[in-house]
Structures are given as structure tokens and as C-alpha cells.
Amino acid sequence: MKRQLNKIKVRILPALLCALTFAGCGFGHAASGEDGVTKEIFAMDTYMSLTAYGDTAGEAVGKAADKIHELDRMLSTGNEKSEVSVLNREGTVRFSDEAMKILLKSLDISDMTGGAFNPAVYPVMELWGFPSGSYRVPDRDEITAALDNINIQGIVISGSKVTAAEGMKLDFGGIAKGYASSAIMQVFEQYGVTSGIVSLGGNVQTLGTKPDGSLWRTAVRHPEDEGYIGVVNVQDKAVITSGGYERFFEEDGIRYHHIIDPSTGAPARSGLVSVTIISTDGALADGLSTALFIMGEDGAVSFWREHTGLFDFIIMDETGKIMVSEGIADAFESEYDYEIVRR
Ligand code: AMP
Ligand code: MG
């Protein structure tokens, strides 16, 4: 099957993305439409759109926004008062129940992915200048030294107290948005909402179906142009994407992106350019999108075969080949050719 990546382009205008996800249209206000309410906020370094339907929608999206800001204050490495920043600066801190939950989930995902997901990769992120924006390509010795500080065995948990070995720093950037979107689903449910959708910087999570009973149509962005890889029809699912195109710098014509392979200390070069995970568990979907991007096609496919039922994927490699796991294949629509990966 010959792929004609540059010939058949799916070109869907931004306005259509709004139609597809019912998210991300406008900014900075709460808008009511039909019986739905949308609130647009900026948090966790990105634009977010929170939509709920029904009588309690207004209250639910307000509380959801509060929840996001609370998580941002707790987790942000850029906020010196956050629990994570205190740990990174002082080497020890008492975590709130929720920060502990996120740490334990991160360690679980790290474990299940053989260390591809690593919440302690921050010293390497700093070396490449990602947090500060002062980007640079470090030399081998610097990378080797930084890699000494990312061993998660150096994290010791005793009750609510977390201690990290000297030189270690945590960063939940690879899981925070997915954790947050799942938390919002819980807030929506607490307020009796049965239909809602959120987009946290393009990472989507859905509650129930659309009010008319049809599935949510969620677009997966194309890494190279303004179009889309395809659309996935879902209910009660998170649809979360990792791609090198999301954050990167270039030096001497080489692109260095923000997803670090903990085995090399450098941006992952796995041959994949986009990894979307579909799962009921937003935090898992987020962690796995990062981890499977690092694993590459073979690693991602065999990981999925060991964990079918937990999640599905849509991946694209650097030649434009798209692969979709069996469980989501019927729900996926694309104008590109794609292969279905079977169990
Ligand atoms: P995502 O967009 O979900 O793939 O997350 C990327 C973000 O996760 C980066 O900006 C870092 O904050 C963090 N990160 C980078 N590499 C890793 C890794 N190997 N494991 C966990 N988090 C990572
Ligand atoms: Mg992620």
C-alpha cells in the first residue's frame, strides 16, 4: 500500500475543529449554547475549554475550572510555591493526598513502561533548556551527569512524606493534563452532569455522549500541517496525543523536542511523530502517550498487545504511516490510508 502523505491532505479548518470537539472556540469567557455551557481558561501553560450540558452545567464548569487551577498550583514547576517545586528545591516535602496520588500513578506507569515514562526526567529537561526557554544542545558529559539524577529509586515515600535523592527533580508534565481531565469528569459527575467534553490544549476527555445521544467526534491533529490525521468517535473516553511538534527548538537544522528518552537523555528518536492514546483513564492515557512515543512502533505495538483492554492507540511514524489498534478501528475515520493492528 503506497502512502501519499503529501498528496492526500485532510484539510479541516479550525472552525471545524470546534465543531468536531465542541471545544476551543473562543477564549476567556463562559458561553451558553442550547443547554450547554463552555468555559475557556488558560492553565498548565495551555488553553483549555470545558463544556458541560444540562441544568447544572454552569456550576459544574465553574467548579471544574477551580479544580484545574488547584492542580496547577499544586504541580507547576514554574510556581515556586507548588508542592512539586518545594520538593525539587528542598529535597523533601509532605504531599497532599492528591499530589501523592499523581506521584503513585506516575511511578506505576513508569514501572509498567519499563522506565520509558519517568516523572524524574526534569534535570534532563533543564539541561536542554526546556523549562527556561534558553534552549541548547548539551554535550555527552553533561547528559551522563544529568542521567545520574533521574533514577526513580531515589524517591522515598513514607506516609505523606516524599524525599528525593540529591540532584533529583520531579515533573508531572507528562501526566498532569490527563489526570486533570479525568478529575474534571469526576467534578462533572458530582454535579449531575451526564454529557460533557473538555479539551486541555488539544487533549480531550469526554463524559457520556453528546446530548443527542451521538458519539463525540474528536479530531487528532496532523503533526505537519493544519489538517488532521483523522477523527475518532468516542464516549466516556480520553483521547490524548503526544507529538514532538508540540514543543521543540531547532539547531543546525535538527529539531529537538520535549519528549525525553530516559535511556539516552536526549529527545526520543523512535521514528514516531504522533501517538494518541484512547482510554477511560485520562492519567493513564497521558502517561502512555508519552511512553509509547519513546518506545517507537515495535515497542508500542507489543506493549499494547500485553495491555489490550486498557487502552487503544493511533500512531503515525515519520514516513506518514498511520497505525490504529483494533479496539478503536471501527470508531476511526481518516482520509489517509491506515493499518489496523490486531491482537
Ligand atoms: P506529553 O506532551 O504528555 O508527551 O508530555 C511531555 C512533557 O512530559 C514534557 O514537556 C516534560 O514535562 C515531560 N516529559 C518529557 N519526557 C518525559 C518522560 N520520558 N517521562 C515522563 N515525562 C516526560
Ligand atoms: Mg503524556
Side-chain angles (χ1 to χ4, degrees):
M1 199 171 10
K2 190 165 182 320
R3 320 220 167 251
Q4 297 179 302
L5 184 63
N6 295 317
K7 289 184 188 154
I8 328 161
K9 288 259 161 83
V10 187
R11 291 201 183 275
I12 305 171
L13 295 171
L16 187 52
L17 173 67
C18 298
L20 288 169
T21 63
F22 289 89
C25 318
F27 176 67
H29 61 282
S32 303
E34 297 174 18
D35 59 346
V37 178
T38 296
K39 194 172 173 68
E40 313 269 344
I41 60 171
F42 186 85
M44 297 181 171
D45 284 331
T46 195
Y47 293 95
M48 302 184 168
S49 170
L50 320 173
T51 300
Y53 291 84
D55 296 343
T56 53
E59 209 179 349
V61 295
K63 294 292 178 193
D66 292 348
K67 183 75 202 176
I68 292 281
H69 290 305
E70 180 194 332
L71 288 169
D72 203 7
R73 282 193 299 275
M74 185 188 296
L75 304 174
S76 169
T77 49
N79 169 3
E80 59 175 32
K81 292 191 183 139
S82 75
E83 295 177 39
V84 171
S85 289
V86 174
L87 176 66
N88 290 349
R89 194 170 54 244
E90 297 176 9
T92 185
V93 73
R94 285 204 182 274
F95 261 0
S96 60
D97 290 350
E98 191 145 42
M100 183 61 80
K101 211 168 133 191
I102 295 164
L103 172 60
L104 294 175
K105 184 83 178 181
S106 298
L107 296 176
D108 264 2
I109 297 174
S110 186
D111 197 41
M112 78 191 283
T113 61
F117 186 84
N118 183 332
V121 83
Y122 200 64
V124 179
M125 292 294 288
E126 286 188 314
L127 193 57
W128 290 82
F130 282 102
S132 63
S134 304
Y135 302 117
R136 56 185 281 268
V137 179
D139 65 35
R140 228 332 81 211
D141 291 348
E142 291 175 288
I143 291 176
T144 307
L147 287 178
D148 278 346
N149 295 324
I150 70 162
N151 185 349
I152 58 165
Q153 306 305 329
I155 302 167
V156 177
I157 300 171
S158 167
S160 63
K161 193 173 162 196
V162 181
T163 306
E166 204 182 331
M168 282 190 90
K169 287 183 180 180
L170 301 193
D171 163 29
F172 296 120
I175 191 178
K177 292 193 195 80
Y179 178 87
S181 61
S182 276
I184 294 175
M185 298 299 113
Q186 285 175 12
V187 171
F188 281 1
E189 283 176 332
Q190 278 160 17
Y191 283 83
V193 170
T194 54
S195 173
I197 183 164
V198 297
S199 170
L200 313 189
N203 294 319
V204 172
Q205 189 154 357
T206 61
L207 181 65
T209 61
K210 286 198 252 177
D212 67 5
S214 63
L215 299 175
W216 298 105
R217 293 172 58 70
T218 304
V220 179
R221 193 184 144 181
H222 195 290
E224 281 155 32
D225 59 28
E226 73 270 31
Y228 295 91
I229 288 178
V231 171
V232 59
N233 297 294
V234 292
Q235 75 179 72
D236 290 315
K237 290 264 163 55
V239 180
I240 295 188
T241 301
S242 286
Y245 61 88
E246 288 174 332
R247 215 165 144 213
F248 63 86
F249 69 96
E250 276 173 325
E251 195 174 295
D252 299 330
I254 300 172
R255 185 182 279 200
Y256 299 96
H257 60 70
H258 68 139
I259 303 173
I260 301 294
D261 183 341
S263 69
T264 63
R269 294 201 189 286
S270 65
L272 295 181
V273 291
S274 174
V275 173
T276 299
I277 303 292
I278 300 101
S279 172
T280 50
D281 179 340
L284 180 77
D286 198 350
L288 292 185
S289 70
T290 309
L292 270 62
F293 184 95
I294 294 163
M295 289 177 191
E297 178 184 323
D298 291 351
V301 167
S302 46
F303 183 86
W304 173 75
R305 288 201 174 112
E306 286 163 26
H307 299 91
T308 51
L310 262 192
F311 72 98
D312 275 289
F313 67 74
I314 300 160
I315 60 181
M316 182 187 246
D317 78 4
E318 58 201 2
T319 71
K321 182 173 78 168
I322 299 169
M323 302 176 82
V324 177
S325 64
E326 193 177 0
I328 203 74
D330 288 346
F332 183 65
E333 297 167 18
S334 178
E335 292 190 19
Y336 295 102
D337 289 339
Y338 58 91
E339 283 174 19
I340 298 173
V341 179
R342 312 256 170 216
R343 293 181 181 93

